[in-house]
Amino acid sequence: RQEIIRLGGQVRFSNQLTDINLVGDQIVSVRVNDHEDLACQDLILATGHSARDTYRMLNSRGLHMEQKPFAIGARIEHPQDLINKAQYGKFAGHERLGAADYRLTSQVENGRSVYTFCMCPGGSVIASASSQGHLVTNGMSEHARDLENANSGLLVNVTIDDYGSDHPLAGIDFQEKYEAMAFELGGSNYHAPCQLVGDFLAGRPSRGLASVRPSYRPGVKPTDLALCLPDFVVEAMRQGLVDMDKRLKGFAMPDAVLTGVETRSSAPVRINRDKSSLKSVNIGNLYPCGEGAGYAGGIVTAAVDGIKCAEKIIEKYSPLDTKNGD
């Protein structure tokens, strides 16, 4: 940040993009916090996949975007010791081995893919809601990875046919529907609905917890996650859990905890851009970038996409004749 400032740039905290001002197919200025206009030659749009107000504003301004598949499910939480034993065998607990991780996938009978996502060894399930009246979970590990539980997303693929609409933002409506259901099911106080894996597989609500202590804060409410997830997701998760347990012993342990919902694996929207220039296909000086634009699926790929967009702008303004090797 200090280097950007030293080179003449600005870093403006608590500043929100609230509108764009167009002349023809060019952005001439952007509106910040609903009252300040900033002149704009080029705009790199790297919002992240939860900036729903920005999506809706851009759609109202005619920016070309389309539906994109994503995934939905819950966080699954096990004792880290169980994962260590399953992965390391007799070497579990060795001082030179860190907390074990895993990556699992399963194709199930209804044609869906079930997979683990963003596995967090020795980590926590965290609250990630971005709007009132909605509940979203995610996961994280601190540097030491030394907490008692391991967690990961247990997700099922969602196709654009599941949205029930051809509107480009229908995937956001799909997400918000289940996030609102999870909020209500958890008690409308940002406690997350959870369910023991044994109860989830048996199709019965959980009335309490067992040996695995959920890490989600501010708290959890044992219930039936089938009430806040699509039927096809519940069906696929049940089959996937049984299948994954065959490859990672204990993955379907009855006391493991599922905490819902996880809906932000990736953006349900893609902002259309030219493959060569990386510009929007209909706004000539807008560079959609990263996860929020639908061109990345994680921290590293989003960073790489940002570098690519920066290189395109450098090429545009560079006085050097790169073709002749100058």
Side-chain angles (χ1 to χ4, degrees):
R1 176 164 59 90
Q2 294 298 331
E3 182 68 0
I4 290 171
I5 294 170
R6 187 186 71 81
L7 293 170
Q10 295 181 20
V11 178
R12 299 175 57 138
F13 295 104
S14 301
N15 278 241
Q16 180 182 21
L17 174 70
T18 52
D19 207 350
I20 58 174
N21 301 308
L22 295 164
V23 174
D25 67 348
Q26 299 288 308
I27 300 173
V28 294
S29 65
V30 296
R31 179 151 291 185
V32 177
N33 294 343
D34 288 320
H35 70 270
E36 181 183 6
D37 289 332
L38 301 175
C40 178
Q41 286 181 287
D42 293 282
L43 177 64
I44 296 178
L45 189 72
T47 61
H49 57 42
S50 297
R52 293 165 173 172
D53 54 338
T54 306
Y55 284 133
R56 291 178 171 124
M57 178 273 290
L58 293 170
N59 181 66
S60 73
R61 295 298 180 217
L63 180 67
H64 286 189
M65 55 181 73
E66 63 185 3
Q67 298 176 349
K68 186 178 81 61
F70 74 113
I72 186 174
R75 281 269 146 185
I76 186 166
E77 202 163 13
H78 302 89
Q80 182 62 51
D81 286 345
L82 180 146
I83 304 301
N84 292 344
K85 291 174 182 176
Q87 297 292 66
Y88 295 148
K90 66 179 182 179
F91 297 105
H94 193 285
E95 62 182 11
R96 298 182 68 177
L97 291 174
D101 60 12
Y102 57 79
R103 182 177 295 179
L104 300 168
T105 62
S106 179
Q107 295 293 128
V108 297
E109 293 177 2
N110 66 1
R112 303 284 174 168
S113 297
V114 186
Y115 64 97
T116 61
F117 174 80
C118 183
M119 194 273 156
C120 303
S124 304
V125 178
I126 60 173
S128 298
S130 56
S131 58
Q132 292 185 354
H134 294 83
L135 194 136
V136 184
T137 63
N138 203 335
M140 62 169 284
S141 296
E142 296 181 358
H143 183 266
R145 296 184 170 187
D146 60 354
L147 300 183
E148 64 180 330
N149 290 346
N151 76 83
S152 73
L154 182 66
L155 305 181
V156 178
N157 72 299
V158 175
T159 73
I160 61 175
D161 293 333
D162 297 315
Y163 296 161
S165 167
D166 59 3
H167 192 281
L169 303 184
I172 291 176
D173 296 336
F174 185 94
Q175 288 176 322
E176 290 183 333
K177 172 184 176 181
Y178 293 101
E179 292 167 9
M181 292 168 68
F183 178 77
E184 183 176 351
L185 189 62
S188 299
N189 58 0
Y190 295 100
H191 286 211
C194 76
Q195 190 170 15
L196 300 182
V197 166
D199 292 334
F200 182 76
L201 291 175
R204 61 175 178 258
S206 288
R207 304 299 182 189
L209 301 170
S211 63
V212 178
R213 295 184 296 177
S215 58
Y216 179 93
R217 297 291 179 267
V220 296
K221 179 181 178 182
T223 182
D224 184 358
L225 289 184
L227 300 176
C228 64
L229 289 169
D231 290 343
F232 71 84
V233 170
V234 174
E235 177 187 358
M237 286 173 63
R238 285 174 176 156
Q239 293 181 24
L241 277 163
V242 173
D243 182 50
M244 291 173 179
D245 189 73
K246 297 174 184 176
R247 281 169 283 136
L248 198 157
K249 186 178 180 181
F251 192 76
M253 70 174 290
D255 287 4
V257 176
L258 289 163
T259 306
V261 289
E262 177 152 353
T263 58
R264 309 288 179 89
S265 59
S266 65
V269 179
R270 178 175 287 113
I271 300 174
N272 305 110
R273 72 184 186 188
D274 179 78
K275 290 183 179 180
S276 175
S277 69
L278 304 187
K279 296 177 184 178
S280 160
V281 295
N282 72 315
I283 296 181
N285 57 346
L286 173 65
Y287 294 81
C289 176
E291 286 203 47
Y295 295 98
I299 296 170
V300 174
T301 52
V304 170
D305 199 54
I307 292 171
K308 290 179 179 178
C309 288
E311 288 174 342
K312 291 299 181 181
I313 292 179
I314 291 170
E315 290 176 13
K316 178 178 177 180
Y317 290 102
S318 175
L320 300 180
D321 184 354
T322 55
K323 293 182 180 179
N324 294 326
D326 294 339

